[in-house]
Amino acid sequence: MSKTIKCKELCLSDFGIHKVCYHGGTTYDATKGKQQTNIGYMKRGSCIFSTAFTAVECHAGDLVYLPEGTRYSSVSTGEPDVEYYVVHLSFRTDKQGIRFDQRYGMQKIEVPGGIDAGKAVTEMYALLESGEVGSRLLALEQFYRLFGALLPSLKEAEAPNCSPSVIKALAYIESHCCEDFSVAELAKECYVSESRLYHLFRAEMHKSPVEYKNEMKILRSIEYLKNGYTSVEEISASLGFRSAAYFRRLFKKITKMTPTEYRRKNAGV
């Protein structure tokens, strides 16, 4: 009797690595949904990846997992430069149409002891860059070894179950947080009544639309604070706050420190 064992769902359908370098840092908007699963390696600098539900802060030497479909924004800061490697990957779907890589949520990866993940990623990049078939196969072999070693540390996704109206509201707020709009206008964009949207938002996000909007503004302010060149008053005005004093109070409420304290801690000025 013969028996065939298949593991199609563990075969890659897409794989690649690219390196990005910035001087001073940058922002990236993926609030419409990440198109591929990424494993990011922060070689130099730091970055905050934020979704509607959580934030992950990575520094030099850290790895972050970003599954396909993740709606997030990121703010990176250099010291003075950012060097970041992005491993793009997609596994094939299983019989239920589910991709293996989408089982896990956005997270900083706790790399097991004895594994130099950063070295593995940069070596894979160099192998792929050579363009030779043998080198590319070695890069794939190294990826499978690394992914297998990291797998026990990955936590499965626990994504909150949001209603379509709240998902629309989140996307609109994230894209227009510095603009002046009311909850009534937001509800109109989501095709529900103001009271209905407010109730859903409170129930599912445990905060009001205005509170979430303010959190998005504070997230954006971090980029300006870290560059060291923009005053608190200018940041406040550019983000649409009614006064610098209110911006300072809100910043401290959310981050537990003043804008000046945050700048000193994270930019060394």
Side-chain angles (χ1 to χ4, degrees), residues 14-181:
D14 191 26
F15 175 72
I17 305 175
H18 80 266
K19 178 173 70 173
V20 292
C21 298
Y22 304 106
H23 182 75
T26 188
T27 60
Y28 181 71
D29 183 0
T31 51
K32 293 184 179 179
K34 192 67 182 171
Q35 296 304 307
Q36 290 176 301
T37 294
N38 292 166
I39 295 177
Y41 166 54
M42 184 68 60
K43 186 173 183 179
R44 285 191 291 172
S46 60
C47 189
I48 298 176
F49 301 86
S50 301
T51 71
F53 314 106
T54 188
V56 173
E57 187 167 353
C58 292
H59 301 281
D62 289 339
L63 267 69
V64 62
Y65 192 83
L66 300 163
E68 180 179 328
T70 305
R71 298 170 56 252
Y72 74 94
S73 59
S74 65
V75 179
S76 61
T77 306
E79 301 172 357
D81 297 324
V82 173
E83 185 175 345
Y84 180 63
Y85 289 79
V86 187
V87 181
H88 302 283
L89 60 116
S90 295
F91 286 94
R92 297 184 183 182
T93 58
D94 60 19
K95 292 180 180 179
Q96 286 74 43
I98 300 171
R99 287 235 316 273
F100 182 71
D101 50 287
Q102 292 178 300
R103 296 179 184 177
Y104 307 96
M106 186 183 86
Q107 59 194 283
K108 183 162 72 173
I109 303 173
E110 298 299 328
V111 181
I115 297 175
D116 192 337
K119 181 181 179 182
V121 171
T122 54
E123 286 180 354
M124 283 188 285
Y125 177 81
L127 288 167
L128 291 176
E129 192 176 32
S130 75
E132 297 178 359
V133 173
S135 296
R136 292 162 69 187
L137 288 171
L138 286 174
L140 285 167
E141 177 189 358
Q142 192 149 333
F143 166 76
Y144 275 112
R145 290 183 182 276
L146 177 63
F147 193 79
L150 298 177
L151 193 58
S153 301
L154 291 179
K155 301 177 181 67
E156 293 198 3
E158 297 179 357
N161 184 22
C162 282
S163 62
S165 296
V166 171
I167 290 174
K168 287 179 183 178
L170 292 172
Y172 188 87
I173 293 171
E174 289 160 6
S175 299
H176 302 82
C177 67
C178 297
E179 300 174 17
D180 184 19
F181 60 87

